[in-house]
Amino acid sequence: MKIKSLLALALAGTTALATPALAEGTIKIAVIEPLSGPLAANGGDILERFQFLFGRVNDAGGVLGGQMFEVIGLDNGWDVEKTAQQMQRAADEGVDYVINGIGPQHATAITNFIRKHNRRNEGAEMAFLAHSAGDNAITTENCDYYQAVFDPTVEMKLNALISGMQELGIEGPVFTINPDFSFGQTVDASFKELAGKAGIEIVGSEMIAPFGQVQDFTPLVARIKASGAKVVMTGNFGPDLIRLLNASVDSGLDVRFAALYGPDPSTMAAVGADKFEAAGVIAPFEYDENDTGGLPVLEELNVTYREVAKTSWGIDRYRMLVDGIVGAIEAAGDAEPKAAMGSIGGVKLTTAGGEGYVRVEDNQMVIPYFIIGVDKAAPATVLYKGDDIGFGWKTEKIIPAETMALAPTCKIEKP
Amino acid sequence: MEILPFVLLNGTLFGMLLFMLAAGLTLIYGMMGVINFAHASFYMLGAYLGYQVSVWAGFWAGMIVVPVVLGLAGVVFRRVLISRLAIEDQVSQLLVTFGAAMVITEGVQIIWGRLAVPYRIPEEMTGALFNVGGLDFPIYRFFILVVSFLLFAVILLILKQTRIGLILSAAQSRPQMVRAMGYDLDRVNDWVFAAGVAVAGLAGVMAGNLLGVYPVMAERITPLLFVIVVVGGLGSLNGALIVALALGLIDTAATTYKLSAEPLVTALFGAPERGTFLADLARFNTTSFAPILPYLLMLIVLLIRPRGLFGQRDL
Amino acid sequence: MLETRNLNAFYGKSHVLHGVGLRVNSHEVVALVGRNGVGRSTLIKAIMREVQTTGQIIFDGEDLAQMPTHQVARSGIAYVPEHREIFAGLTVAENLALVRAKPRTGALWDIARVLRRFPNLAERMNTDAGVLSGGEQQMLATARALLSDPKLILIDEPTEGLAPRIVQDIARILHELKQDGLAILLVEQKLDIALDVADRIYVMGHGDIVFEGTPAEFEGHPDIRRDWLEV
Ligand SMILES: Nc1ncnc2c1ncn2[C@@H]1O[C@H](COP(=O)(O)OP(=O)(O)O)[C@@H](O)[C@H]1O
Ligand SMILES: [Mg+2]
């Protein structure tokens, strides 16, 4: 099945290369992500999900009484230079909305392009819908009428995590371990600031060389042990998280892990249910597959996406993005970005945890958030590209939208 | 201080793993004069194959089958690629072996995907062997430690106590004379290459479920290997052992006992302001320095002693 | 026993031997002399398959030109190279232990006999071969060759760079080997030694044989000595 999915990716890549002339009268969406290179699997996954979601909207009759969406994938090869090139191409093709999320530097490139483009091309504006906040500062510093973020900011997530920890009584002294590049630094600084306000003691903290450079985490395990920490908060992902969890559990370290990237299927598969449970992993997440909150659309997606993509629906913010733009277009009665983006702030979103919305001030999505914990007996175990990971998650706590909505730090000026 | 034994054990383990990779690399260089940039790829292949075999027939089968299969693959690799490279032509060596490493990395992704694969420690090896300073030392880590030391003992025994050791050491200085004494060095080199690759593969089988099996695992460890063989002296097994162990221990110790410049800077100049040079200086600590340490070590050794600590010839 | 036919040798593009024909019979000592750089060592290396060649090298009915070096050695030819090529870093004993185990039993040369022939080595068995004197290194290289129990031994400039007293030792050893009935192809710069020990003599000039004969015949051609040997 891996080979099949690779073929699908290769195909996605070729369609991206030979972009077909877009049909007249459709609303054009470009998903710009790495469809080749080391992150191709992630980019391909994302493109697949958006094609699936906009396909559903089209099947249900489109927007504004019959206008259809058309989604193309453009490969940036995880190269900022190429992102800029693909933006030019999207502009030439008359793309209305650009979707992206992997890598903050790409978001910055898109932001810059769109600012310039919109100033020079009145009547043919483009808008940027970000599906991941990361540390891209799109809504915190560089907010703009033509962009919206459908993911809580790092600060919002960490705030959710901290209030979840407190409500769950997971409060002991904390040790933080984060990857030493801009994202990890943001996580580290935000967490410390928020923890300070919440009166949580931080007894140790480490920035590690990221992307699998640290082979052995046992020295850090010894440090954590010596520090007396009861909780480890980490933004590590991939091999850096796999090794950290392995080393800790193997050494019998008695702490709980608050791991932002704990729910990544690859990490879950590599580390396994027993160690995840032993590490008491909790994570802030937008949606827990085992807790749809009675939302029919999620019950449907849980079933259909498993069938279509042999993968758990698992991540729900892409749906929120699609709902967000559809809602904005319907509210504005116009699919052009210039009109629709004026209505995106204020759009209401239904989520598993209750109602959410896109905030008017900065076009930042605010939704109730889940604090999830390992559940070896979960009815829905995580499925990824045909591989059943063998365990799932349960809702430990739902953080309401009011708590999530930290005060906006940026205000959009209407053009 | 209580955790010192824990640090020593884990540092030694990491050092021995590095040695298992560096041993083959340095021996292959000594015999064939070729720096094989794809050597760590066999470590990665070992991890992936170890995972695959463990799915089909269990972990223990992988311990036996994978080194044998990789050893054979190593012979093919040597015959097809390495034996055609001239010793003097280091640019071709770099291009060919580097290219091979990239091909292997891509191939691994096509077969097993781009994400980490679920390679687990065998059931019977889970759990702690003993407790040091409040931390467990896992049975599995101890197992790796034992295997790597046994392997080292076997290598040492072969090199020091048998005629094979004599032939290898003679061939490193005067290969032509060894041929003129009736030895088929091509066959000897096949064996050396196979053994080097098999040991790297075995390291992969054992370390894969500890460190994670994913497509860039070779890329990440290659630079460290080169530091080890260069600092130890290209071709020197003793050098490789000592430097690998030293790196393992230094890295572990520098990370465990984080020494920071901050108290010193603060004591001398007062609390530094953000963004100043002093603030940067205060940020300096042994933990964040640990990953750079090997390269600094290499630089210093190369400046003082270009042939490495135990090397016979200059680079 | 050994015969080269129309042997050419090349180092890359440079053509060093030009159709050399040379013969060594069983139990015969043949000396190959000539000025420096004419190609004597190259001829020896050609026989050992260490340089590129065309032509034939027939040894006991087989063409060595088709074999790799190690097979030439296994067919019964031992090589004492120009610069001795002993293994420094290994002891004398280890240098000798490296000689391949002999396939046939009842070998002529065993370690005891070799050490009786070279008593100096017997005393220095545990010494690093790299610290031996030049003469001792030459003896080690010769002992190593003998231990393989060869039918033919190729010796390239054994007296080069040695003190006169040691040169005499080497000359005596060569005579002893001749007495043993060994076939030898000897490259020797010192003409008196070559003429003294050899049954036949070849003079090489510019990559070709310019004279072939017994020492007595050679003495009858002062012009050869003048044109091809004296400097
Ligand atoms: N490795 C080599 N590469 C190129 N030319 C060589 C090499 N070895 C020897 N020669 C050349 O071949 C010729 C014969 O050399 P050699 O056989 O060593 O002479 P001799 O032993 O008679 O002194 C010389 O001109 C020498 O410069
Ligand atoms: Mg010579």
Side-chain angles (χ1 to χ4, degrees):
Chain A
M1 66 289 159
K2 292 232 157 96
I3 301 214
K4 218 170 86 192
S5 64
L6 262 150
L7 275 177
L9 274 188
L11 282 177
T14 49
T15 50
L17 287 178
T19 318
L22 291 170
E24 282 290 311
T26 56
I27 305 163
K28 295 168 189 72
I29 311 273
V31 176
I32 302 186
E33 294 289 5
L35 302 174
S36 63
L39 289 175
N42 309 55
D45 224 19
I46 288 165
L47 176 59
E48 211 174 280
R49 280 171 186 261
F50 278 111
Q51 281 167 335
F52 177 78
L53 283 165
F54 281 109
R56 277 179 86 248
V57 175
N58 288 344
D59 291 347
V63 284
L64 300 176
Q67 236 182 310
M68 295 292 155
F69 286 100
E70 188 170 357
V71 181
I72 54 167
L74 296 177
D75 178 20
N76 67 14
W78 213 39
D79 172 358
V80 178
E81 197 70 17
K82 264 176 98 184
T83 291
Q85 286 167 16
Q86 294 290 30
M87 280 304 292
Q88 185 54 57
R89 181 148 163 201
D92 296 345
E93 302 272 354
V95 163
D96 302 297
Y97 299 94
V98 172
I99 293 176
N100 162 273
I102 302 182
Q105 64 279 33
H106 298 274
T108 308
I110 293 171
T111 294
N112 292 341
F113 183 94
I114 285 188
R115 287 238 166 111
K116 228 183 285 165
H117 173 88
N118 288 355
R119 229 178 307 143
R120 292 176 190 163
N121 297 278
E122 224 172 297
E125 286 88 351
M126 294 166 84
F128 174 23
L129 309 172
H131 63 72
S132 295
D135 59 331
N136 61 24
I138 288 176
T139 52
T140 50
E141 288 166 32
N142 304 322
C143 63
D144 188 275
Y145 180 82
Y146 284 104
Q147 54 196 29
V149 174
F150 287 85
D151 187 27
T153 63
V154 168
E155 264 206 311
M156 292 163 89
K157 285 176 194 165
L158 291 172
N159 187 52
L161 178 65
I162 286 175
S163 56
M165 280 164 58
Q166 288 185 314
E167 287 183 41
L168 292 167
I170 309 171
E171 283 180 61
V174 178
F175 199 110
T176 68
I177 298 176
N178 285 297
D180 200 2
F181 70 106
S182 71
F183 167 75
Q185 288 156 3
T186 307
V187 170
D188 187 65
S190 302
F191 185 83
K192 283 176 181 162
E193 198 190 316
L194 292 163
K197 284 186 198 151
I200 292 174
E201 188 192 1
I202 294 184
V203 287
S205 137
E206 198 50 67
M207 304 300 296
I208 56 125
F211 313 126
Q213 289 178 70
V214 177
Q215 301 285 335
D216 188 10
F217 274 87
T218 51
L220 271 176
V221 167
R223 280 260 302 287
I224 298 167
K225 172 77 188 170
S227 76
K230 284 279 153 230
V231 178
V232 173
M233 195 295 295
T234 181
N236 281 13
F237 53 87
D240 299 334
L241 183 56
I242 293 171
R243 289 173 182 176
L244 176 60
L245 288 175
N246 274 343
S248 305
V249 174
D250 290 348
S251 307
L253 187 68
D254 184 22
V255 298
R256 285 197 75 164
F257 276 83
L260 297 186
Y261 287 92
D264 164 47
S266 158
T267 304
M268 290 169 68
V271 176
D274 292 340
K275 286 188 182 175
F276 255 78
E277 191 174 52
V281 175
I282 58 164
F285 215 52
E286 68 231 25
Y287 162 58
D288 165 21
E289 198 181 359
N290 288 297
D291 185 2
T292 61
L295 221 56
V297 62
L298 288 180
E299 312 219 324
E300 174 211 323
L301 287 172
N302 274 353
V303 178
T304 51
Y305 202 68
R306 267 182 193 256
E307 279 166 11
V308 173
K310 301 275 174 287
T311 296
S312 305
W313 183 240
I315 311 167
D316 198 32
R317 61 177 188 277
Y318 306 130
R319 179 187 64 84
M320 300 175 196
L321 184 150
V322 173
D323 285 357
I325 191 62
V326 166
I329 290 172
E330 294 286 5
D334 187 343
E336 286 302 318
K338 185 168 186 169
M341 290 306 282
S343 306
I344 203 162
V347 164
K348 298 256 179 287
L349 303 166
T350 50
T351 81
E355 190 167 271
Y357 56 93
V358 180
R359 187 158 57 191
V360 177
E361 286 88 341
D362 51 3
N363 286 355
Q364 165 69 47
M365 175 174 83
V366 179
I367 52 166
Y369 223 53
F370 285 75
I371 301 299
I372 57 175
V374 179
D375 185 2
K376 276 162 75 173
T381 53
V382 173
L383 182 74
Y384 183 75
K385 302 219 162 141
D387 288 336
D388 193 329
I389 307 303
F391 69 106
W393 300 89
K394 60 171 181 274
T395 307
E396 298 276 5
K397 206 83 217 171
I398 296 178
I399 311 298
E402 305 89 82
T403 314
M404 290 297 289
L406 298 170
T409 55
C410 187
K411 184 137 180 38
I412 290 171
E413 286 168 26
K414 298 234 147 99
Chain B
M1 259 314 113
E2 277 166 38
I3 51 176
L4 184 66
F6 184 78
V7 173
L8 289 179
L9 277 170
N10 283 305
T12 308
L13 172 75
F14 184 37
M16 287 307 283
L17 270 181
L18 289 176
F19 170 71
M20 284 178 75
L21 298 186
L25 186 61
T26 207
L27 207 58
I28 286 165
Y29 174 82
M31 291 296 293
M32 290 154 243
V34 170
I35 301 180
N36 180 13
F37 282 89
H39 193 68
S41 300
F42 289 102
Y43 160 72
M44 176 168 73
L45 280 176
Y48 273 100
L49 291 175
Y51 157 69
Q52 198 58 65
V53 175
S54 81
V55 170
W56 290 331
F59 172 81
W60 300 103
M63 286 282 291
I64 314 270
V65 173
V66 174
V68 172
V69 169
L70 281 180
L72 290 174
V75 172
V76 175
F77 183 81
R78 188 189 94 76
R79 295 246 175 113
V80 174
L81 290 177
I82 302 282
S83 62
R84 299 183 182 192
L85 297 170
I87 290 174
E88 315 81 52
D89 188 1
Q90 267 149 11
V91 175
S92 293
Q93 288 177 16
L94 185 111
L95 291 177
V96 168
T97 58
F98 204 75
M102 282 167 45
V103 168
I104 292 174
T105 302
E106 285 302 317
V108 154
Q109 292 184 27
I110 288 173
I111 299 173
W112 287 285
R114 288 165 203 267
L115 305 175
V117 300
Y119 184 25
R120 301 280 165 66
I121 291 169
E123 200 61 50
E124 57 274 27
M125 286 264 175
T126 52
L129 188 67
F130 50 80
N131 193 287
V132 269
L135 288 168
D136 291 339
F137 194 74
I139 298 174
Y140 188 67
R141 282 189 172 241
F142 187 74
F143 164 75
I144 300 181
L145 211 51
V146 170
V147 172
S148 61
F149 270 107
L150 276 179
L151 209 65
F152 172 64
V154 169
I155 294 173
L156 206 67
L157 212 67
I158 291 175
L159 291 187
K160 298 290 172 213
Q161 299 295 327
T162 70
R163 162 182 214 84
I164 298 169
L166 280 184
I167 296 168
L168 295 192
S169 117
Q172 291 192 33
S173 53
R174 301 190 184 287
Q176 216 35 52
M177 191 62 222
V178 172
R179 288 179 207 272
M181 289 172 73
Y183 290 103
D184 184 353
L185 266 195
D186 286 327
R187 241 185 61 207
V188 173
N189 283 344
D190 275 349
W191 279 104
V192 169
F193 208 93
V197 161
V199 170
L202 185 65
V205 173
M206 294 194 301
N209 44 19
L210 204 65
L211 302 178
V213 185
Y214 58 100
V216 290
M217 63 187 290
E219 244 167 75
R220 288 288 176 261
I221 210 156
T222 296
L224 269 185
L225 293 189
F226 283 96
V227 170
I228 292 168
V229 299
V230 167
V231 172
L234 274 164
S236 163
L237 205 67
N238 294 342
L241 177 73
I242 288 167
V243 178
L245 280 175
L247 277 196
L249 287 167
I250 291 171
D251 182 86
T252 306
T255 312
T256 311
Y257 303 106
K258 182 182 186 178
L259 297 178
S260 171
E262 195 177 345
L264 190 72
V265 172
T266 314
L268 289 177
F269 309 102
E273 268 179 54
R274 257 180 86 96
T276 60
F277 168 71
L278 280 181
D280 290 341
L281 200 64
R283 256 178 68 92
F284 175 87
N285 63 68
T286 53
T287 304
S288 51
F289 197 58
I292 321 166
L293 209 62
Y295 308 104
L296 194 72
L297 188 71
M298 177 160 83
L299 207 69
I300 294 171
V301 168
L302 285 184
L303 283 176
I304 301 172
R305 204 180 141 81
R307 65 187 53 183
L309 296 177
F310 299 85
Q312 306 291 330
R313 41 203 141 151
D314 283 356
L315 278 183
Chain C
M1 172 182 243
L2 176 83
E3 186 178 355
T4 71
R5 292 177 194 154
N6 191 23
L7 186 65
N8 293 274
F10 310 83
Y11 293 107
K13 278 186 186 142
S14 97
H15 190 170
V16 174
L17 297 185
H18 302 268
V20 171
L22 174 144
R23 199 163 32 80
V24 182
N25 299 316
S26 298
H27 312 297
E28 189 184 31
V29 176
V30 171
L32 177 62
V33 298
R35 289 200 184 105
N36 266 332
V38 293
R40 300 158 301 161
S41 296
T42 303
L43 177 59
I44 304 275
K45 286 185 194 155
I47 297 167
M48 290 311 295
R49 310 309 309 136
E50 292 182 1
V51 291
Q52 272 202 309
T53 59
T54 61
Q56 285 180 306
I57 308 163
I58 307 298
F59 179 66
D60 280 351
E62 281 189 282
D63 189 0
L64 301 184
Q66 310 305 323
M67 295 180 186
T69 300
H70 68 270
Q71 274 181 23
V72 173
R74 289 181 194 183
S75 68
I77 298 181
Y79 178 34
V80 183
E82 193 167 9
H83 300 293
R84 287 130 205 175
E85 307 259 329
I86 51 106
F87 302 111
L90 301 188
T91 64
V92 170
E94 286 170 336
N95 266 268
L96 294 176
L98 260 172
V99 178
R100 290 182 80 240
K102 276 154 272 192
R104 56 200 164 104
T105 47
L108 207 53
W109 290 94
D110 57 16
I111 189 85
R113 180 161 180 226
V114 165
L115 290 182
R116 248 178 284 129
R117 182 65 59 86
F118 302 101
N120 304 26
L121 293 182
E123 286 164 24
R124 313 208 61 176
M125 286 296 272
N126 293 316
T127 311
D128 182 340
V131 306
L132 296 181
S133 70
E136 287 168 329
Q137 289 194 1
Q138 187 61 51
M139 289 176 196
L140 177 56
T142 312
R144 182 175 65 184
L146 289 176
L147 257 186
S148 71
D149 226 3
K151 294 183 241 173
L152 167 68
I153 183 165
L154 314 175
I155 308 181
D156 195 354
E157 304 229 32
T159 65
E160 193 187 10
L162 299 183
R165 195 174 49 78
I166 313 292
V167 170
Q168 287 191 348
D169 283 348
I170 301 292
R172 178 180 48 75
I173 287 166
L174 290 172
H175 273 286
E176 287 171 359
L177 293 180
K178 180 177 180 168
Q179 243 105 72
D180 291 328
L182 212 60
I184 302 177
L185 176 58
L186 171 71
V187 172
E188 180 50 66
Q189 185 67 259
K190 297 183 177 60
L191 206 52
D192 48 338
I193 293 181
L195 291 173
D196 191 34
V197 71
D199 298 313
R200 275 184 315 114
I201 187 162
Y202 286 89
V203 177
M204 186 178 256
H206 302 318
D208 204 356
I209 302 297
V210 292
F211 173 86
E212 179 200 341
T214 62
E217 285 164 353
F218 176 77
E219 299 291 3
H221 283 84
D223 53 322
I224 291 287
R225 183 188 282 248
R226 190 187 62 234
D227 292 349
W228 296 107
L229 292 171
E230 283 167 359
V231 266

